[in-house]
Amino acid sequence: MTKYLDSLTGLLNHKAMEKHVQEKIGQDEQVALAMIDVDHFLEVNQILGSEAGDQVLRQLAAVLKEEPGAEAYRVSGDEFALVLEGATLEQAFLQMERFRAKIEASADVFQLPQEHRITVTVGVAQYPRDGKTESALRRAASAALVSAKEIGRNQVALPPNEEMVMKSCYYPSTNVRRLKSLAEQLNKKESALLREALDDLLRKYDRSEVARKSKHPGHS
């Protein structure tokens, strides 16, 4: 088993990840693959030194190990992966969005200067939806990762032919067409605009809740 172990982080390596995914696909069980990159990691190495960089990788590995229902791997360099057994694409996306936010809020864990705050970019794909073999699924997740980087990093993205429209939600076709048109005008992805709208919505209701509590202290 030592040949499958990454000596720096203690995580299993890419060969073990490939084997795991192949087994799940061979059993025809749905499985999601999330490819995870540390944003601007080269700068950490260049400015703070390789020892600081190695510490970031070890600390991120420790956080990855805690992720529920997932097996963590170090793929290469600053690239990691999570295999989520039994997860739909929607479930995997939502879990990775929570993970991304957790890393963004974990400055105390990495103990780096504010200007080198650690964030991650994630690409998510799912079998059988996005690939029928391990290599096809890995390519889809990697393509999603590249797409997330193009949006601006510190993002979670699905394979390029998909948009962040959850199957549990249904939008009028006129709204979908307007969204597509707006995305083309702004040269942005539809998923980026949907996330922007969701952030605005949450901020709006957060402010409303604060205002309500300030007017009615002591009421829940």
Side-chain angles (χ1 to χ4, degrees), residues 8-142:
L8 177 66
T9 64
L11 295 180
L12 294 170
N13 63 20
H14 71 282
K15 291 185 180 297
M17 179 197 75
E18 292 167 7
K19 189 170 180 289
H20 185 180
V21 174
Q22 284 171 351
E23 287 174 355
K24 292 293 118 184
I25 291 177
Q27 295 162 4
D28 197 25
E29 297 180 15
Q30 64 178 4
V31 60
L33 177 63
M35 304 298 287
I36 303 160
D37 242 13
V38 181
D39 296 331
H40 307 297
F41 182 71
L42 184 59
E43 292 179 13
V44 174
N45 264 343
Q46 290 178 335
I47 298 172
L48 301 179
S50 59
E51 187 174 329
D54 287 350
Q55 185 60 18
V56 166
L57 298 180
R58 283 191 289 265
Q59 288 164 328
L60 179 59
V63 178
L64 283 163
K65 285 178 183 177
E66 297 172 355
E67 196 60 24
E71 187 73 52
Y73 302 87
R74 185 185 182 198
V75 178
S76 64
D78 64 318
E79 187 173 17
F80 294 79
L82 283 173
V83 174
L84 299 92
E85 295 183 15
T88 65
L89 185 64
E90 179 180 351
Q91 290 168 338
F93 179 93
L94 292 173
Q95 182 169 348
M96 288 303 94
E97 175 56 25
R98 289 191 294 269
F99 174 78
R100 180 207 62 76
K102 178 181 178 181
I103 295 300
E104 186 178 24
S106 297
D108 56 324
V109 172
F110 296 100
Q111 299 179 341
L112 294 179
Q114 178 62 27
E115 60 270 25
H116 297 292
R117 184 186 61 173
I118 297 300
T119 59
V120 294
T121 298
V122 187
V124 181
Q126 191 255 8
Y127 167 84
R129 198 178 192 285
D130 300 304
K132 299 295 191 283
T133 65
E134 182 278 328
S135 59
L137 186 64
R138 184 160 32 91
R139 284 196 301 271
S142 295

Side-chain angles (χ1 to χ4, degrees), residues 89 93 122-125 140 143-145 147 156-165:
L89 185 64
F93 179 93
V122 187
V124 181
L145 178 62
S147 179
V156 181
L158 305 179
N161 62 332
E162 299 297 333
E163 292 297 345
M164 194 189 70
V165 178

Side-chain angles (χ1 to χ4, degrees), residues 151-171:
I151 295 170
R153 300 181 189 272
N154 192 19
Q155 308 275 342
V156 181
L158 305 179
N161 62 332
E162 299 297 333
E163 292 297 345
M164 194 189 70
V165 178
M166 300 306 175
K167 64 183 181 182
S168 59
C169 302
Y170 298 91
Y171 301 99

Side-chain angles (χ1 to χ4, degrees), residues 170-188:
Y170 298 91
Y171 301 99
S173 58
T174 52
N175 285 358
V176 174
R177 286 195 296 270
R178 288 175 65 190
L179 175 65
K180 183 176 181 181
S181 175
L182 180 61
E184 290 172 353
Q185 290 173 30
L186 298 175
N187 195 27
K188 289 186 175 183

